[in-house]
Amino acid sequence: MLNAPLLETDAPSPAEDRLTRRIAVGLALFPFLLLASLIVALLTALPAHAGDEACGGKDLLAGLESSNPAAYAQLLMQGEKVKNGSSRFWKLEKAGQQPNWLLGTMHLTDPRVTELPDQARSAFDNAATLIVESDEILDQQRAAAALMAKPDLMMYSGKQSIKDYLTPEDEKVLEAGLKTRGIPLAAVVKMKPYILTSMVALSPCELARKSSGKPFLDMKLAQEAKAAGKAVKGVETLAEQIEAMASLPNDFHVRSLVSTARYPEYTADVMETTINLYLTGRMGLVLRVSIYFAPEKNPSDARDMAAFEEKLITIRNHHMADRGAPILDKGNVFMAVGALHLIGDEGLVELLREKGYTATPIF
């Protein structure tokens, strides 16, 4: 059941706002996408379909504008309050060095996403160094080695499997969700739930494009940078990303997995809506839109969601800023990381300002 409209008179209290924001994180942020992009490239058993089929999904915000103008206006107002939430491309300047550039990305192969606008393309072409989340995207053997070095992060050990944590009904939901992506449950039954969520969160066509070798935006930039002789630097490792995911409770991941599989239309619609928000530089709206349209919300999940936001977003923001700053200090750097890492009081834009950079939005 969809939320009741959020009207001007229904503005949440600060405490309620924090709660709903945290509840939305698990459904809205798709933090699994980079992980999914790497894992899909490594799991050769996954099907690779020919063609470039449309991913589907509808823009939820566009429909709301015509059906409920008051709620639409309220959402826009709330999105505008998110610090640095109205731009995905920034110029970073500090006295005595060449300017740097910061691009928020989506870890998708969608051609609307992978095609850089002219200003970003020019900055990228002229940069000497590229920073991405993990430079392991350039070396699948290295990425595979990182995964195999810590198999417990990816797979259940012994006789354990994902089925041990599913009700019969949930197992049917998951089996159906995987089947639409050409993946038998039996083939992935030993995988941890967050690995499976990374697959289910991708639309079948996005999964097919990735498994057939099409690069997502970050990988495309890294490949182009390497071919052009630029230095490519990572600010995280794949193991660190998986460890952050694994640090959250197993039951939380199982609930997230089943919910994602249970509402495929919602997942597709939120993805399409998020792409459109990304392309128009309105990332501050992503959380609020997903809250409004979420098919279910459980306030008892607030504690888990708070930990999710802290470990998967905020802590990583600080890592990116701390590790990226020494590279940025050399100047003429193009930094490309997930767009939702840029926004908010502890987003990358604010953290780099604290390190002495002037950050100017470009688009």
Side-chain angles (χ1 to χ4, degrees), residues 88-90 92 100-105 127 129-133 221 235 317 319-321 323-325 328 333-337 342 348 352:
R88 61 181 166 118
F89 187 53
W90 297 76
L92 302 174
N100 298 308
W101 306 90
L102 175 63
L103 175 70
T105 67
T129 300
L130 171 69
I131 296 176
V132 289
E133 291 181 23
L221 292 175
V235 287
N317 291 349
H319 288 166
M320 290 177 188
R323 297 169 182 177
L328 291 168
V333 174
F334 191 98
M335 186 172 188
V337 299
L342 273 57
L348 196 51
L352 290 175

Side-chain angles (χ1 to χ4, degrees), residues 29-346:
L29 294 191
F30 297 106
F32 308 95
L33 289 180
L34 179 58
L35 184 61
S37 301
L38 293 166
I39 291 169
V40 169
L42 296 171
L43 297 179
T44 56
L46 295 182
H49 302 290
D52 192 21
E53 58 221 272
C55 284
K58 61 180 180 292
D59 188 331
L60 298 169
L61 193 60
L64 184 65
E65 183 177 12
S66 58
S67 66
N68 194 332
Y72 176 78
Q74 175 70 359
L75 285 173
L76 291 185
M77 182 183 69
Q78 292 170 344
E80 289 170 357
K81 292 180 180 179
V82 177
K83 189 173 287 186
N84 306 318
S86 298
S87 180
R88 61 181 166 118
F89 187 53
W90 297 76
K91 186 176 185 179
L92 302 174
E93 296 175 285
K94 184 184 285 189
Q97 67 181 55
Q98 289 181 273
N100 298 308
W101 306 90
L102 175 63
L103 175 70
T105 67
M106 290 191 74
H107 309 311
L108 297 173
T109 64
D110 191 303
R112 294 171 294 174
V113 171
T114 58
E115 186 67 27
L116 287 182
D118 290 343
Q119 288 172 292
R121 170 53 64 181
S122 177
F124 173 78
D125 288 343
N126 290 306
T129 300
L130 171 69
I131 296 176
V132 289
E133 291 181 23
S134 173
D135 58 4
E136 292 171 334
I137 58 179
L138 281 172
D139 188 341
Q140 292 187 15
Q141 289 185 340
R142 180 181 167 198
L147 294 177
M148 290 187 291
K150 297 184 177 181
D152 57 308
L153 293 177
M154 293 275 293
M155 312 286 285
Y156 287 112
S157 60
K159 296 182 179 181
Q160 269 191 320
S161 77
I162 188 63
K163 288 187 177 183
D164 296 329
Y165 304 97
L166 299 172
T167 65
E169 179 188 352
D170 289 345
E171 183 176 334
K172 290 180 181 178
V173 169
L174 177 58
E175 189 167 23
L178 289 169
K179 186 177 181 180
T180 64
R181 289 149 178 81
I183 305 171
L185 175 58
V188 294
V189 73
K190 296 290 288 184
M191 289 186 177
K192 292 288 181 75
Y194 44 85
I195 305 298
L196 295 176
T197 300
S198 72
M199 299 173 186
V200 178
L202 295 173
S203 66
C205 77
E206 178 67 21
L207 186 64
R209 288 198 296 247
K210 281 189 167 74
S211 62
S212 65
K214 292 190 177 180
F216 55 98
L217 175 56
D218 311 62
M219 180 181 284
K220 183 175 182 235
L221 292 175
Q223 290 172 344
E224 290 182 6
K226 182 180 180 181
K230 304 178 191 294
V232 180
K233 305 289 187 179
V235 287
E236 296 181 311
T237 67
L238 176 58
E240 286 177 324
Q241 293 172 339
I242 299 177
E243 284 167 355
M245 198 78 72
S247 68
L248 297 172
N250 185 73
D251 62 341
F252 163 77
H253 284 304
V254 171
R255 292 196 305 272
S256 298
L257 168 61
V258 174
S259 180
T260 303
R262 179 170 282 128
Y263 301 107
E265 289 185 6
Y266 170 76
T267 302
D269 290 347
V270 168
M271 183 65 75
E272 178 64 19
T273 305
T274 300
I275 290 173
N276 289 328
L277 291 174
Y278 171 77
L279 295 173
T280 54
R282 298 182 292 168
M283 297 309 293
L285 274 170
V286 172
L287 298 177
R288 188 53 62 184
V289 167
S290 63
I291 292 168
Y292 183 87
F293 288 100
E296 64 179 33
K297 293 183 291 294
N298 184 356
S300 67
D301 290 341
R303 182 174 301 174
D304 284 344
M305 289 297 183
F308 183 102
E309 183 179 12
E310 175 71 12
K311 294 182 179 182
L312 270 295
I313 304 297
T314 305
I315 290 176
R316 293 178 61 208
N317 291 349
H318 284 271
H319 288 166
M320 290 177 188
D322 292 342
R323 297 169 182 177
I327 306 171
L328 291 168
D329 284 344
K330 297 178 181 179
N332 197 25
V333 174
F334 191 98
M335 186 172 188
V337 299
L340 287 168
H341 288 289
L342 273 57
I343 67 176
D345 294 336
E346 290 188 82

